[in-house]
Amino acid sequence: MTTFLGMPTVAPQGVGSLHAEQPFPVAARTALGNTQLRHNIGFATQTIRAKRAAVVGELPDWEQLRLAGEAIKTDVMARLPELLVQLEERVTAAGGTVHWARDANEANAIVAALVEATGAHEVVKIKSMATQEIGLNEALAEHGITAHETDLAELIVQLGGDRPSHILVPAIHRNRAEIREIFLRAMPGVRPDLPDDPPQLAEAARSYLRQKFLSAKVAISGANFAIAETGTVAVVESEGNGRMCLTLPEVLITVMGIEKLLPTFKDLEVFLQLLPRSSTGERMNPYTSMWTGVTEGDGPREFHLVLLDNGRTSVLADEAGRSALHCIRCSACLNVCPVYERVGGHAYGSVYPGPIGAVLTPQLTGVKENPSLPYASTLCGACFDACPVRIDIPSMLVHLRAEAVRAKGMTVERTVFAAAAWTMRSPVRFAMAERLSRLGRLLGRRRDRISRLPWPLSGWTAARDLPRPPRRSLRDWWRNR
Ligand code: SF4
């Protein structure tokens, strides 16, 4: 697919939180040196993993559910243009307004103009990956509008002047003592003797946020799902802050990636089983809010739905990589990933960390922008096993690694592999190479393996040993039998 609703595929502009300040290997090395971070993340991921395993194990039809989720999402991607038009029609018919944004700049400009039209200088926000992706809070600040995050973990990140490090638990890298210190420093009206006791920390946040909910005229949300058949938008969350944002303010603006569609209301049944079990390890999501346009006397009087592309049509155009758009942001792949568990989310330099970030970020920005991310994996396959919609992340990582190599042009690595391929294509050349390789026996005599090779092969031995070539090749052995 090269066009989307008659438009060319769209790559995002350099705005928002997809562009890393440092390549992954550099950032990961720094993160590995932070023992507190490793301890916090190790503890949190182990806990969520155990909860998830317990509730997934209860369902005898878990694999069938995963297959159903995969099939629905595959169908959505095959019919995305028509389903989006259907969604627009249904939302408009129900009294909402739909806006189309090609990239972060357009989406931010639309939201800022909508907020300015209300005369508000403050908005309340539900945790949303799409708005983080486009850097909406920073863009609104340029217009003199303050966005208050209302999800507890997101609030901790915002008050701490920090960046999220996990899709579901953005402050996973902080412990309770650090959170207390952030509240004392940055949350107005907190009592100075606030202890680092979790219920009391939550109570402090609740009192602070209550004022924001009651005074805000405008709320901004993301969306977990949108139903093309009915025009219904759904947000799932655990704290009830989302329900406050979705019902109290006069104006509601939802920014939604175009891939979040489901064809029919019935499809939601599958995802409302898959998502809570995979994300928080719960059987049922605590707060599931759904709304269709606007309703007289109930909830916001104005509803705006901003449909965000920001590189998604380019991902859709790539047949080998488009299933990354199936992601429902449950974060199960993060919690099982041995790389994520050791380096945490910041090392990925993107709003999308972990295995899904390692594929989605380079896909959204173009692999040239983030060439090191596809290598942020051991390819162990745990992410595929955990993914509720069966995204084959390991295969996509390999696909993106090939793209990254192609994008680099002729490198030493490519030259060496091209020479190896040329040698292996001819039995004569291969036999000669085998004989020549025996010269390598001069190296590594002491330990029977080679720990250091001269340039250009030094890159190989920088991270691993090479077995010493055998005295006799398989062909020689065969010939002599
Ligand atoms: S890739 Fe799969 S496991 Fe990872 S966040 Fe997305 S849906 Fe969840």
Side-chain angles (χ1 to χ4, degrees):
M1 178 170 173
T2 52
T3 60
F4 169 64
L5 295 177
M7 298 186 301
T9 55
V10 181
Q13 303 302 303
V15 175
S17 310
L18 294 173
H19 298 265
E21 281 162 24
Q22 289 180 317
F24 180 82
V26 178
R29 200 164 293 130
T30 311
L32 280 170
N34 186 339
T35 43
Q36 179 71 59
L37 174 92
R38 288 175 64 182
H39 176 267
N40 292 357
I41 292 180
F43 177 75
T45 50
Q46 274 169 35
T47 309
I48 304 174
R49 270 206 309 267
K51 279 182 76 182
R52 175 196 168 272
V55 292
V56 163
E58 291 172 353
L59 287 188
D61 61 346
W62 180 250
E63 287 308 314
Q64 280 75 22
L65 274 171
R66 289 179 78 210
L67 285 164
E70 181 187 22
I72 293 167
K73 282 292 187 178
T74 305
D75 175 46
V76 168
M77 295 314 145
R79 301 192 288 132
L80 194 56
E82 92 188 46
L83 291 173
L84 283 169
V85 170
Q86 190 186 5
L87 175 76
E88 181 183 32
E89 285 166 6
R90 297 293 188 274
V91 171
T92 309
T97 309
V98 175
H99 309 258
W100 299 80
R102 271 175 295 204
D103 57 28
N105 287 332
E106 278 193 13
N108 289 334
I110 291 167
V111 177
L114 290 170
V115 178
E116 278 173 339
T118 67
H121 296 288
E122 289 189 325
V123 298
V124 284
K125 268 189 78 210
I126 308 177
K127 177 176 151 352
S128 141
M129 303 302 296
T131 58
Q132 281 172 27
E133 176 189 319
I134 60 177
L136 180 63
N137 290 7
E138 295 77 12
L140 289 177
E142 285 173 17
H143 289 259
I145 300 161
T146 308
H148 298 286
E149 296 290 349
T150 63
D151 173 89
L152 178 55
E154 205 64 61
L155 177 68
I156 294 165
V157 167
Q158 187 180 41
L159 293 178
D162 202 355
R163 284 181 297 133
S165 61
H166 191 277
I167 290 177
L168 187 75
V169 202
I172 198 170
H173 55 291
R174 295 288 191 190
N175 60 26
R176 58 168 85 167
E178 291 173 310
I179 294 167
R180 171 182 176 271
E181 188 271 318
I182 290 171
F183 280 11
L184 287 177
R185 180 163 39 85
M187 186 183 279
V190 170
R191 58 179 232 254
D193 61 342
L194 180 72
D196 64 2
D197 168 45
Q200 298 203 46
L201 290 171
E203 183 54 43
R206 191 177 294 126
S207 311
Y208 167 75
L209 288 172
R210 189 57 55 112
Q211 299 308 317
K212 303 292 174 204
F213 290 133
L214 292 174
S215 58
K217 256 171 97 172
V218 183
I220 297 176
S221 85
N224 290 94
F225 307 103
I227 317 291
E229 176 190 50
T230 58
T232 305
V233 182
V235 163
V236 297
E237 38 104 21
S238 304
E239 297 170 10
N241 64 303
R243 181 69 56 83
M244 300 278 233
C245 289
L246 295 168
T247 50
L248 288 174
E250 291 167 21
V251 178
L252 173 61
I253 304 167
T254 298
V255 181
M256 184 189 103
I258 52 174
E259 78 283 16
K260 292 296 177 77
L261 268 182
L262 297 178
T264 67
F265 201 82
K266 217 171 72 187
D267 297 322
L268 204 52
E269 181 218 336
V270 173
F271 291 93
L272 290 184
Q273 293 183 73
L274 287 173
L275 183 55
R277 281 186 158 82
S278 302
S279 57
T280 47
E282 288 166 308
R283 295 186 183 101
M284 204 179 145
N285 192 66
Y287 291 90
T288 303
S289 302
M290 289 185 247
W291 68 100
T292 309
V294 288
T295 305
E296 187 65 37
D298 183 11
R301 292 205 288 273
E302 256 182 62
F303 169 53
H304 297 271
L305 179 61
V306 181
L307 295 174
L308 175 71
D309 183 334
N310 206 36
R312 285 159 176 78
T313 45
S314 301
V315 182
L316 193 64
D318 176 6
E319 266 180 51
R322 74 168 58 139
S323 61
L325 295 177
H326 296 186
C327 177
I328 56 172
R329 312 279 189 265
C330 72
S331 74
C333 57
L334 278 65
N335 301 327
V336 297
C337 177
V339 176
Y340 176 85
E341 191 172 354
R342 278 154 188 83
V343 302
H346 291 159
Y348 294 79
S350 160
V351 62
Y352 300 113
I356 187 60
V359 293
L360 195 56
T361 306
Q363 282 181 312
L364 288 174
T365 61
V367 82
K368 265 190 187 165
E369 280 284 333
N370 281 292
S372 62
L373 278 181
Y375 295 90
S377 169
T378 61
L379 301 181
C380 67
C383 47
F384 172 68
D385 293 341
C387 179
V389 285
R390 294 170 44 88
I391 300 175
D392 187 356
I393 294 176
S395 298
M396 285 198 295
L397 287 167
V398 173
H399 167 69
L400 287 170
R401 287 180 189 187
E403 272 193 27
V405 171
R406 264 196 296 277
K408 270 197 268 179
M410 201 40 105
T411 57
V412 172
E413 189 184 6
R414 276 192 89 175
T415 313
V416 168
F417 277 106
W422 179 79
T423 308
M424 288 178 187
R425 272 200 295 272
S426 149
V428 177
R429 289 197 292 263
F430 190 69
M432 271 174 58
E434 264 182 351
R435 276 199 288 279
L436 271 175
S437 76
R438 266 176 245 156
L439 286 174
R441 287 190 60 75
L442 296 173
L443 302 167
R445 263 174 297 185
R446 260 198 328 180
R447 294 164 61 215
D448 213 32
R449 53 180 190 270
I450 302 168
S451 303
R452 199 175 301 163
L453 281 170
W455 191 89
L457 302 173
S458 49
W460 180 269
T461 47
R464 52 183 92 68
D465 288 341
L466 194 69
R468 196 174 171 215
R471 198 182 304 277
R472 201 160 55 140
S473 71
L474 176 72
R475 286 159 179 251
D476 290 343
W477 173 83
W478 186 259
R479 204 176 299 117
N480 294 335
R481 283 190 64 189

